[in-house]
Amino acid sequence: MPITEHQQELLSRHGANYTNGLTTSEASSRRNSTNGGLNKVQKPINCPSWVCCLLPCINHIPSMKQFRYVQPDDAEVLRDGRWIRYDAASLVLGDIVRLAEGDVVPADCVVISLGMEHVDASSIVGEDEEDVGNATSAVANNGIIDSLTELTVDSHYITGETKPKHLPCRANQTVQPALLYYGSRVLEGACIALVTGCGERTILAKLIKEGRWPPKGDLSGEVEEIGRMNMDESTNDDYDSSGIALVQRY
């Protein structure tokens, strides 16, 4: 399964190493560049822990219950050339993560490839070669990809969209580099993805700050527009920017 020019551009733009991931020192440096900020989203009702202990009813407010549901515990991240289970709060922009069925998406991410194994990053498909057709049967007949040729992710609790996002393998064996939101859930399949937004710079954090979460309707169209704006603002060297890259248009 090759990757597209757009995916290669995204990896370069975020200073990401698809084959080996970031080194421990690189990840530490990027975290320090954001003043030590962790990949955590502020609660919709942000009160001291002692207040929550005295008033446990706060934790039963619908928004707080939903917030707990969308929180990731850990993430499988590629660091120093090895896949390791890591605290999701320690992720940084440019990390390479692996998601599988049942996982909570640990940050805003862009899908790079389907399945649990790396694709050949040296094989890049150009614009004129891309085909959005489903390649499940064709790929299976060639015997070059396992059965994980599609991905289904539910973002209902983040954006209010009613239908899960479905990403099939294209006829040229690539996948549309779609944006997955922090707090979404993988319903089916697996993928390797690039972290493009962490903590208070994720879509979820923005919606909470604006008082629009939990969503009362389908905000997916507006969320995509926010992503476009952030993509235009992000640069390779600016790790203080959100880095949320909307790539649905590709």
Coordinates of all heavy atoms in Angstrom, one line a residue, residues 209-244:
K209 N -14.5 25.3 24.7 CA -14.2 26.7 25.0 C -15.3 27.6 24.5 O -15.6 28.6 25.1 CB -12.8 27.1 24.4 CG -11.6 26.5 25.1 CD -10.4 27.0 24.4 CE -9.1 26.5 25.1 NZ -7.9 26.9 24.4
E210 N -15.9 27.3 23.4 CA -16.9 28.1 22.8 C -18.3 27.8 23.3 O -19.3 28.4 22.9 CB -16.9 27.9 21.2 CG -15.6 28.5 20.6 CD -15.5 28.1 19.1 OE1 -16.5 27.5 18.6 OE2 -14.5 28.4 18.5
G211 N -18.4 26.8 24.2 CA -19.7 26.5 24.8 C -20.6 25.7 23.9 O -21.8 25.8 24.1
R212 N -20.0 25.0 22.9 CA -20.8 24.3 21.9 C -20.7 22.8 22.0 O -20.9 22.1 21.1 CB -20.5 24.8 20.5 CG -20.8 26.3 20.4 CD -20.8 26.7 18.9 NE -19.5 26.6 18.4 CZ -19.2 26.4 17.1 NH1 -20.1 26.3 16.2 NH2 -17.9 26.4 16.7
W213 N -20.2 22.4 23.2 CA -20.1 20.9 23.4 C -20.7 20.6 24.7 O -20.5 21.3 25.7 CB -18.6 20.5 23.3 CG -18.4 19.0 23.3 CD1 -18.4 18.2 22.1 CD2 -18.3 18.1 24.4 NE1 -18.3 16.9 22.5 CE2 -18.2 16.8 23.8 CE3 -18.4 18.3 25.7 CZ2 -18.1 15.7 24.6 CZ3 -18.3 17.2 26.6 CH2 -18.2 15.9 26.0
P214 N -21.4 19.4 24.8 CA -21.8 18.5 23.7 C -22.6 19.2 22.6 O -23.4 20.1 22.9 CB -22.6 17.5 24.5 CG -22.3 17.6 25.9 CD -22.0 19.0 26.1
P215 N -22.4 18.7 21.4 CA -23.1 19.3 20.2 C -24.6 19.0 20.3 O -25.0 18.0 20.6 CB -22.4 18.5 19.0 CG -22.0 17.2 19.6 CD -21.5 17.5 21.0
K216 N -25.3 20.1 19.9 CA -26.8 20.0 19.9 C -27.3 19.7 18.4 O -28.5 19.5 18.2 CB -27.4 21.2 20.4 CG -27.1 21.5 21.8 CD -27.8 22.8 22.3 CE -27.6 23.0 23.8 NZ -26.2 23.0 24.2
G217 N -26.4 19.6 17.5 CA -26.7 19.3 16.1 C -25.4 18.8 15.4 O -24.4 18.6 16.0
D218 N -25.5 18.6 14.1 CA -24.4 18.2 13.3 C -23.5 19.4 13.0 O -23.8 20.3 12.2 CB -24.9 17.6 12.0 CG -23.8 16.9 11.2 OD1 -22.6 17.1 11.5 OD2 -24.1 16.2 10.3
L219 N -22.3 19.4 13.6 CA -21.3 20.5 13.4 C -20.2 20.0 12.5 O -19.2 20.8 12.4 CB -20.7 20.9 14.8 CG -21.7 21.3 15.9 CD1 -20.9 21.6 17.2 CD2 -22.4 22.6 15.4
S220 N -20.3 18.9 11.9 CA -19.2 18.3 11.1 C -18.7 19.3 10.0 O -17.5 19.4 9.7 CB -19.5 17.0 10.5 OG -20.7 17.1 9.7
G221 N -19.7 19.9 9.3 CA -19.3 20.9 8.2 C -18.5 22.0 8.7 O -17.5 22.4 8.2
E222 N -18.9 22.6 9.9 CA -18.2 23.7 10.4 C -16.8 23.3 11.0 O -15.9 24.0 10.9 CB -19.1 24.3 11.6 CG -18.5 25.6 12.2 CD -19.4 26.2 13.2 OE1 -20.6 25.7 13.3 OE2 -19.0 27.1 13.9
V223 N -16.8 22.1 11.6 CA -15.5 21.6 12.1 C -14.5 21.4 10.9 O -13.3 21.7 11.1 CB -15.8 20.2 12.8 CG1 -14.5 19.5 13.0 CG2 -16.4 20.5 14.1
E224 N -15.0 21.0 9.8 CA -14.1 20.8 8.6 C -13.5 22.2 8.2 O -12.4 22.3 7.8 CB -14.8 20.2 7.5 CG -15.1 18.7 7.8 CD -15.9 18.1 6.6 OE1 -16.2 18.8 5.6 OE2 -16.2 16.9 6.7
E225 N -14.3 23.2 8.3 CA -13.9 24.6 7.9 C -12.8 25.1 8.9 O -11.8 25.7 8.5 CB -15.1 25.5 7.9 CG -14.7 26.9 7.4 CD -14.1 27.0 6.0 OE1 -14.5 26.1 5.2 OE2 -13.3 27.9 5.8
I226 N -13.0 24.8 10.2 CA -12.0 25.1 11.2 C -10.7 24.4 10.8 O -9.6 25.0 10.9 CB -12.4 24.7 12.6 CG1 -13.7 25.5 13.0 CG2 -11.3 24.9 13.6 CD1 -14.3 25.1 14.3
G227 N -10.8 23.2 10.4 CA -9.6 22.4 10.0 C -8.9 23.1 8.8 O -7.6 23.1 8.8
R228 N -9.6 23.5 7.9 CA -9.0 24.2 6.7 C -8.2 25.4 7.1 O -7.1 25.6 6.6 CB -10.1 24.6 5.7 CG -10.6 23.4 4.8 CD -11.4 24.0 3.6 NE -12.1 22.9 3.0 CZ -13.3 22.5 3.3 NH1 -14.0 23.1 4.2 NH2 -13.9 21.5 2.7
M229 N -8.8 26.2 8.0 CA -8.1 27.4 8.4 C -6.9 27.1 9.2 O -5.8 27.7 9.0 CB -9.1 28.2 9.3 CG -10.3 28.8 8.6 SD -11.5 29.5 9.7 CE -10.5 30.8 10.4
N230 N -6.9 26.1 10.0 CA -5.7 25.7 10.8 C -4.7 25.1 9.9 O -3.5 25.3 10.2 CB -6.1 24.7 11.9 CG -6.9 25.4 13.0 OD1 -6.7 26.5 13.3 ND2 -7.8 24.6 13.7
M231 N -5.1 24.4 8.9 CA -4.1 23.9 7.9 C -3.3 25.0 7.2 O -2.1 24.9 7.1 CB -4.8 23.0 6.9 CG -3.8 22.3 5.9 SD -4.6 21.3 4.7 CE -3.2 20.7 3.8
D232 N -4.0 26.0 6.9 CA -3.4 27.1 6.2 C -2.4 27.9 7.1 O -1.4 28.4 6.7 CB -4.4 28.1 5.7 CG -5.2 27.6 4.5 OD1 -4.8 26.6 3.9 OD2 -6.4 28.0 4.3
E233 N -2.7 27.8 8.4 CA -1.8 28.6 9.4 C -0.6 27.8 9.8 O 0.4 28.3 10.3 CB -2.7 29.0 10.6 CG -3.7 30.0 10.3 CD -4.7 30.2 11.5 OE1 -4.4 29.5 12.5 OE2 -5.6 31.0 11.4
S234 N -0.7 26.4 9.8 CA 0.4 25.6 10.4 C 1.6 25.6 9.5 O 1.5 25.7 8.2 CB -0.1 24.2 10.6 OG -0.4 23.6 9.3
T235 N 2.8 25.5 10.1 CA 4.0 25.4 9.4 C 4.9 24.4 10.0 O 4.7 23.9 11.1 CB 4.8 26.8 9.4 OG1 5.2 27.1 10.8 CG2 3.9 27.9 8.9
N236 N 5.9 24.0 9.3 CA 6.8 23.0 9.8 C 7.5 23.3 11.1 O 7.7 22.5 11.9 CB 7.9 22.7 8.7 CG 8.1 21.3 8.5 OD1 7.5 20.4 9.0 ND2 9.1 21.0 7.6
D237 N 7.8 24.6 11.3 CA 8.6 25.0 12.5 C 7.8 25.5 13.6 O 8.3 25.8 14.6 CB 9.7 26.0 12.1 CG 10.6 25.5 11.1 OD1 11.0 24.3 11.2 OD2 11.0 26.2 10.2
D238 N 6.5 25.7 13.4 CA 5.6 26.3 14.4 C 4.8 25.3 15.1 O 3.7 25.0 14.8 CB 4.7 27.3 13.7 CG 3.8 28.1 14.7 OD1 4.1 28.0 15.9 OD2 2.9 28.8 14.3
Y239 N 5.4 24.7 16.1 CA 4.7 23.7 16.9 C 3.8 24.3 18.0 O 3.2 23.6 18.7 CB 5.7 22.7 17.6 CG 6.5 22.0 16.5 CD1 7.8 22.2 16.3 CD2 5.8 21.0 15.7 CE1 8.5 21.5 15.3 CE2 6.5 20.4 14.7 CZ 7.8 20.6 14.5 OH 8.5 19.9 13.5
D240 N 3.7 25.6 18.0 CA 2.8 26.3 18.9 C 1.5 26.5 18.2 O 0.5 26.9 18.8 CB 3.4 27.6 19.4 CG 2.6 28.2 20.6 OD1 2.2 27.4 21.4 OD2 2.3 29.4 20.6
S241 N 1.4 26.3 16.9 CA 0.2 26.4 16.2 C -0.6 25.1 16.3 O -0.1 24.1 16.8 CB 0.4 26.7 14.7 OG 1.0 25.6 14.1
S242 N -1.9 25.1 16.0 CA -2.7 23.9 16.2 C -2.3 22.7 15.4 O -2.4 21.6 15.8 CB -4.2 24.2 15.9 OG -4.3 24.4 14.5
G243 N -1.8 23.0 14.2 CA -1.4 21.9 13.3 C -2.5 21.0 12.9 O -2.3 19.9 12.3
I244 N -3.7 21.4 13.1 CA -4.9 20.5 12.6 C -5.0 20.7 11.1 O -5.4 21.7 10.7 CB -6.2 20.9 13.4 CG1 -6.0 20.8 14.9 CG2 -7.3 20.1 12.9 CD1 -7.1 21.3 15.7

